[in-house]
């Protein structure tokens, strides 16, 4: 994609990431932010929601604008004036939350997608697409993008600095679970990691920062979720939930339920783990799915919950149903689903 060549004029670029951005969305977008800034562009990075404070040490993270009622006019203006709008680590504009309504002001701009999720039914009209569902993280695609842009034009070491490499490395290791999720790992995963290492990132520091740090409330909520864990051996499923009462009692803070869904998969023979989350009675129910082997939670979540994600990690939002109704619905559909597909592996 020949977006930027030697004689380009300063461009206005807006970078968008998905709600509740993860390490990959933050790392990829910050890397692009730093890169475009170095090339003297006018860059603006917007997150539809706050991000988990665990990531606030990332280089340039202070430059992320969190969408709110107080800055909506600024955001509208930035989107309106953009030459380019980048959609990073998502392709379904639903994931922008209320920020999606502002895209109607973006008519003048070229839309660029950089993402590794399967295409959603709710697609947007992108002008440039850099999408590859086989790569482990969007960070790899951003690496490719920057690498191809600077090759033969600028010195790589001048543009591809330690900050950019740190951000990309964070995306890479958070989306691969520190290189554990083998289904997505390929030659390019390690190739990219190797290139980033060569730039001189401080792996010790990054791993230290990313080490799980639990707040008291997080540990208490985890203990509730583990006690409530249900195991359906014959279906190879584990599921659990956290409800609004737990949240109140344990003075929840954002990010506390992060990762609860992964615990069920640690049990031998379990291939599907599900976590249901009711933040408060008025919020929709959030569901996280994690799977192993050939159980495709992206397909399952799309089919029954209008959600989506990846083959082994997906999510969904359920509006207008209680937690109990949602779990019952899940149990009902999963049993039917199993009759059709299971134990064929
Ligand atoms: Mn990702």
């Amino acid at each position: 994609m020949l977006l930027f060549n030697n004689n380009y004029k300063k461009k206005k670029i807006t970078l968008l990431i998905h709600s509740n951005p993860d390490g990959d969305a933050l790392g990829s977008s910050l890397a692009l932010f730093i890169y475009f800034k170095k090339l003297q562009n006018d860059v603006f990075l917007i997150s539809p929601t706050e991000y988990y404070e665990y990531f606030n040490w990332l280089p340039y993270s202070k430059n992320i604008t969190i969408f709110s009622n107080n800055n909506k006019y600024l955001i509208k203006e930035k989107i309106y004036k953009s030459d380019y709008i980048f959609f990073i680590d998502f392709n379904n504009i639903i994931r922008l939350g209320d920020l999606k309504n502002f895209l109607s002001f973006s008519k003048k701009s070229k839309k660029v997608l950089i993402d590794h999720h399967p295409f959603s039914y709710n697609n947007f009209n992108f002008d440039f697409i850099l999408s590859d569902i086989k790569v482990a993280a969007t960070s790899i695609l951003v690496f490719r993008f920057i690498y191809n842009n600077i090759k033969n034009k600028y010195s790589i070491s001048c543009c591809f600095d330690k900050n950019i490499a740190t951000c990309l490395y964070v995306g890479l290791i958070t989306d691969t679970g520190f290189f554990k999720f083998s289904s997505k790992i390929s030659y390019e995963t390690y190739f990219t990691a190797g290139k980033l290492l060569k730039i001189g990132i401080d792996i010790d520091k990054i791993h230290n920062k990313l080490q799980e740090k639990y707040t008291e409330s997080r540990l208490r909520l985890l203990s509730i979720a583990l006690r409530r864990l249900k195991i359906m051996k014959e279906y190879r499923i584990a599921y659990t939930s956290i409800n609004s009462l737990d949240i109140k009692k344990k003075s929840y803070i954002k990010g506390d339920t992060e990762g609860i869904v992964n615990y069920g998969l640690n049990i031998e023979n379990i291939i599907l783990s599900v976590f249901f989350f009711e933040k408060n009675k008025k919020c929709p129910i959030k569901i996280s799915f994690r799977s192993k082997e050939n159980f495709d939670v992206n397909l399952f979540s799309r089919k029954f919950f209008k959600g989506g994600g990846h083959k082994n990690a997906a999510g969904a939002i359920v509006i207008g149903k209680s937690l109990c109704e949602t779990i019952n619905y899940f149990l009902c559909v999963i049993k039917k689903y199993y009759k059709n597909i299971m134990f064929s592996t």
Side-chain angles (χ1 to χ4, degrees):
M1 180 170 32
L2 286 170
L3 270 181
F4 306 96
N5 54 37
N6 273 331
N7 313 313
Y8 70 90
K9 277 201 294 193
K10 187 173 159 175
K11 298 276 193 321
K12 291 190 170 59
I13 301 168
T14 298
L15 309 175
L16 300 177
I17 50 180
H18 55 78
S19 303
N20 302 316
D22 54 11
D24 191 29
L26 292 166
S28 307
S29 59
L30 282 168
L32 278 176
F33 180 91
I34 302 166
Y35 171 65
F36 286 140
K37 212 143 195 106
K38 273 177 164 262
L39 299 181
Q40 314 296 327
N41 295 290
D42 181 354
V43 206
F44 194 64
L45 167 52
I46 313 172
S47 172
T49 61
E50 291 279 352
Y51 58 90
Y52 189 19
E53 61 180 39
Y54 172 73
F55 290 116
N56 63 12
W57 60 275
L58 280 171
Y60 288 78
S61 56
K62 302 277 170 299
N63 290 277
I64 301 174
T65 301
I66 311 287
F67 170 66
S68 79
N69 246 335
N70 301 329
N71 59 19
K72 62 183 179 192
Y73 294 108
L74 170 72
I75 285 179
K76 180 177 156 186
E77 191 193 318
K78 289 285 182 187
I79 289 182
Y80 177 73
K81 290 188 173 161
S82 293
D83 298 307
Y84 292 96
I85 299 183
F86 280 70
F87 297 72
I88 304 159
D89 197 41
F90 71 104
N91 60 67
N92 186 341
I93 57 161
I94 295 276
R95 300 203 65 200
L96 285 172
D98 290 342
L99 183 59
K100 71 175 182 303
N101 304 325
F102 288 66
L103 290 178
S104 57
F105 305 112
S106 69
K107 299 212 169 63
K108 286 200 297 196
S109 63
K110 295 266 182 249
K111 318 290 186 303
V112 185
L113 174 73
I114 305 188
D115 184 33
H116 68 138
H117 294 88
F119 270 111
S120 58
Y121 47 87
N122 194 341
N123 235 322
F124 196 66
N125 228 346
F126 297 107
D127 299 284
F128 302 97
I129 295 180
L130 177 52
S131 161
D132 187 345
I133 62 165
K134 289 197 294 301
V135 299
T138 294
S139 295
I140 293 181
L141 299 176
V142 170
F143 175 84
R144 254 195 231 169
F145 174 86
I146 298 179
Y147 201 76
N148 289 335
N149 265 301
I150 59 184
K151 223 168 30 182
N152 308 324
K153 290 174 203 150
Y154 304 88
S155 126
I156 286 186
S157 58
C158 141
C159 285
F160 222 133
D161 68 10
K162 211 169 144 181
N163 285 332
I164 294 180
T166 300
C167 292
L168 292 179
Y169 187 74
V170 167
L172 194 55
I173 55 174
T174 52
D175 257 25
T176 58
F178 288 77
F179 302 111
K180 263 195 307 200
F181 306 152
S182 52
S183 64
K184 285 269 170 151
I185 287 173
S186 68
Y187 163 77
E188 198 180 7
T189 318
Y190 291 112
F191 172 83
T192 309
K195 287 276 182 195
L196 297 175
L197 273 182
K198 211 170 169 195
I199 295 164
I201 51 174
D202 186 341
I203 293 206
D204 250 7
K205 182 184 150 200
I206 298 172
H207 286 206
N208 247 323
K209 292 272 187 199
L210 289 180
Q211 224 156 45
E212 293 287 335
K213 286 188 188 80
Y214 280 55
T215 54
E216 183 185 340
S217 51
R218 183 172 178 184
L219 212 60
R220 304 262 178 231
L221 284 169
L222 174 63
S223 81
I224 295 176
L226 293 180
R227 255 183 287 144
R228 206 173 274 154
L229 188 76
K230 298 263 187 311
I231 297 166
M232 297 162 69
K233 270 197 183 139
E234 68 280 32
Y235 293 99
R236 303 172 74 190
I237 295 175
Y239 69 92
T240 188
S241 60
I242 288 289
N243 61 43
S244 49
L245 220 67
D246 307 326
I247 293 293
K248 247 195 217 153
K249 274 197 251 161
K250 302 298 173 200
S251 34
Y252 161 90
I253 50 173
K254 198 174 166 59
D256 275 349
T257 56
E258 217 62 41
I260 289 182
V261 65
N262 296 319
Y263 285 86
L265 273 194
N266 291 332
I267 304 165
E268 199 172 3
N269 244 340
I270 296 298
I271 56 165
L272 171 64
S273 173
V274 189
F275 173 58
F276 300 89
F277 180 41
E278 176 199 61
K279 193 168 171 188
N280 66 51
K281 288 269 184 239
K282 283 180 217 126
C283 276
I285 309 293
K286 225 183 119 195
I287 317 179
S288 310
F289 300 99
R290 295 290 181 277
S291 68
K292 275 184 191 165
E293 299 177 18
N294 278 332
F295 194 103
D296 190 329
V297 282
N298 173 42
L299 288 182
F300 178 77
S301 167
R302 272 189 196 196
K303 188 164 176 188
F304 297 105
F305 295 93
K306 294 201 175 96
H310 301 283
K311 183 182 166 198
N312 295 124
I317 300 282
V318 177
I319 301 169
K321 273 197 179 113
S322 71
L323 179 62
C324 193
E325 286 166 341
T326 307
I327 296 177
N328 285 338
Y329 172 73
F330 163 74
L331 292 174
C332 175
V333 294
I334 193 73
K335 286 174 186 167
K336 278 190 206 148
Y337 191 67
Y338 264 55
K339 271 191 194 142
N340 299 330
I341 62 126
M342 275 317 290
F343 309 117
S344 55
T345 56

